[in-house]
Amino acid sequence: MPPGITTLAADAPTLSSANTGFMLICSALVMVMTPGLAFFYGGMVRVKSTLNMLMMSFISLGIVTILWVLYGFSLAFGASNGFFGWTKGYFGLSGIGLTELWPGYTIPVYVFAVFQLMFAIITPALISGALADRVKFSAWALFIALWVSVVYFPVAHWVWASDGWLFKKGVIDFAGGTAVHINAGAAALGVILVIGKRVGFKKDPMRPHSLPLVMLGAALLWFGWFGFNAGSWLGNDDGVGAVMFVNTQVATAAAMLAWLGYEKIRHGSFTTLGAASGAVAGLVAITPSGGAVSPLGAIAVGAIAGVLCAMAVGLKYRFGFDDSLDVVGVHLVGGVVGSLLIGFFATGGVQSDVAGVFYGGGFHQLGIQAIGVFSVLGYSLVVSAVLAFLLDKTMGMRVTEDEEVSGIDQTEHAETAYDFSGAGGGAAPRTAAVPAAGTAGQTKKVDA
C-alpha cells in the first residue's frame, strides 16, 4: 500500500472523482469481508458455537470503528517517530477538510481513512477463529480494544506510513501480509498458548456443522478481497491495481487447486473445506506480493502457499496447541510465505523496480522481507500473549468447562443459531398408519 508522498505545489494532484468513487467501492468490498469471515468461521464450528463465532467477528465492526475515529487513524497514519504516529487534527477525524487530499494522491483523507478502517476491523476478527468455543464474549470485546490500540495501530504505522521504520527499510507489503495476516496469526498463537485447549481437543469430533456456510463465507471473502488488494494502490491510473486484481484471482485459483491436490494425495479425498481453505490461503499469500510479481509468479505464490498451508494446519495436533479454525496454519503461514516469496519472484516491473532472486536482484530484498516478517511476528506474538494473560488473571478469558460443554451460544448470548421446535409446520395433528381391525392389507390413521 503506497503511503502519502510529498509533491511540489506546481504538480500537486487534484481530487479525482473516478478514483474517489473507486476507493469508496473498494472500502465497501473490504467491509463485507468481515461478515464473510463470520460466515466462514461460523460454518466451521459446531452448532452450539455458531452465534458466538458470528458475533466475535461482527463486534469488531463496532469497537474498532469508534476507536479508529477517536485515535486509531492518528496512531496509524499521523506524524511519525518511526514507531507510531500522532496528528492532532486526526483525533476524532475533526481537523480534516472536506476535500483535503491524502498527500500525493487524488482521493480525500476521509476516503483513505475509511478504507484503512476496514482493514483495522477485519484484522482482530481473523484472530477469533483460533479461539472458538471457549472465550467469554466480554473478555473478547475488551481484548479487541486493547489489541488494536497497542498492536494493530502501531504495526500498520511501521509498514504503511511513509516514516514507518519498516517502510523506510524497504519492506514490501502491498495490502497486508505483515500488518494484517502475520499480525493476526501470531496474535492467535500467542492467545491460545495462554488460554489453552478446548474441552475434548483431540478426543471429541469437532467437525464443521455447515459446509454451505463455509463456502458462502469463502466466496464473500474472495469477492471482497478484490477491493482489499486492488484498492490498496489508492487509485486506478497506472495499471498497478489492475495487475493486483488479476494476480489476486490467479493466486487464489492456484492455491485452491494445490491444496486439493495435496489433500487427495495425503488423505484420498477432495473436500469442500479444503477448497475453501485453499482459496483463503491463496488470498492471504498474494496480499503482500501481488503488486510485485507477474501472473506467472502469482501462480507460483498461490501453489506454494496452498501446499505449505495445507501441511501446516496439521501441526496443531503434533505440537498440541488448539488453533480451532486454523488461523495459524492459514493466516500466519500464508502471510509469511507470501511476504518472503517477494524476495524470489519480484519482477521489478510492477509497483517498484525491486527485483527478486529469480529476476537478477540477488538476496537483498529477501533479507529485508525477513526483517519485516519476523519483527511483526515477534512483536504481535509476545504482546498478544501478555494481553491475554492479564485479562485471564483479572476478568478471566474462558467460560467454565460446564458452559463450554453445554454450548457457548446459550451461555453467552442466550440464543441458538437454529430453532427446530417449529419444524413440521405447527398445529396439524401427527398421524401414523396402522392395520385396520380385521381387514388384511387395509390401514386407518390414528394420532401418533
Side-chain angles (χ1 to χ4, degrees), residues 60-342:
S60 188
L61 283 160
I63 294 170
V64 179
T65 297
I66 301 304
L67 298 183
W68 186 256
V69 170
L70 291 177
Y71 58 82
F73 181 59
S74 188
L75 286 175
F77 291 100
S80 178
N81 65 4
F83 294 93
F84 60 89
W86 187 258
T87 295
K88 183 179 179 181
Y90 292 167
F91 177 77
L93 303 184
S94 58
I96 301 171
L98 187 63
T99 58
E100 180 183 345
L101 299 182
W102 184 243
Y105 292 89
T106 59
I107 61 172
V109 175
Y110 276 120
V111 174
F112 178 76
V114 79
F115 181 67
Q116 283 293 330
L117 165 62
M118 303 310 173
F119 282 69
I121 287 169
I122 196 171
T123 305
L126 293 172
I127 302 169
S128 66
L131 316 178
D133 298 332
R134 60 200 189 274
V135 174
K136 292 179 182 177
F137 188 70
S138 56
W140 169 246
L142 182 55
F143 177 84
I144 287 178
L146 295 173
W147 188 83
V148 294
S149 299
V150 300
V151 179
Y152 181 80
F153 298 157
V155 169
H157 188 82
W158 299 355
V159 175
W160 287 325
S162 57
D163 288 329
W165 75 275
L166 288 179
F167 183 88
K168 291 171 72 173
K169 277 191 173 294
V171 173
I172 294 174
D173 186 353
F174 195 98
T178 53
V180 176
H181 297 290
I182 293 174
N183 204 2
L189 180 59
V191 175
I192 58 182
L193 291 177
V194 171
I195 67 171
K197 308 174 183 67
R198 288 169 290 179
V199 175
F201 177 64
K202 294 202 292 188
K203 297 178 182 178
D204 299 336
M206 297 180 180
R207 292 184 292 271
H209 89 279
S210 177
L211 288 169
L213 275 186
V214 174
M215 291 298 281
L216 172 63
L220 288 172
L221 285 169
W222 194 335
F223 174 67
W225 223 292
F226 290 116
F228 194 89
N229 281 358
S232 289
W233 199 239
L234 306 184
N236 200 26
D237 297 323
D238 56 7
V240 175
V243 172
M244 185 54 163
F245 194 110
V246 170
N247 285 345
T248 299
Q249 177 69 14
V250 168
T252 307
M256 179 180 66
L257 296 176
W259 186 302
L260 288 172
Y262 172 84
E263 194 174 55
K264 178 65 174 177
I265 294 169
R266 182 73 176 82
H267 303 293
S269 301
F270 302 114
T271 69
T272 308
L273 183 60
S277 299
V280 173
L283 290 164
V284 170
I286 202 63
T287 291
S289 59
V293 304
S294 69
L296 287 176
I299 293 175
V301 169
I304 293 169
V307 171
L308 292 181
C309 289
M311 296 171 64
V313 297
L315 295 178
K316 62 185 179 183
Y317 300 109
R318 178 176 298 178
F319 295 110
F321 61 90
D322 186 7
D323 175 17
S324 307
L325 307 183
D326 301 321
V327 178
V328 176
V330 173
H331 292 276
L332 177 57
V333 173
V336 169
V337 169
S339 297
L340 292 180
L341 286 180
I342 293 170

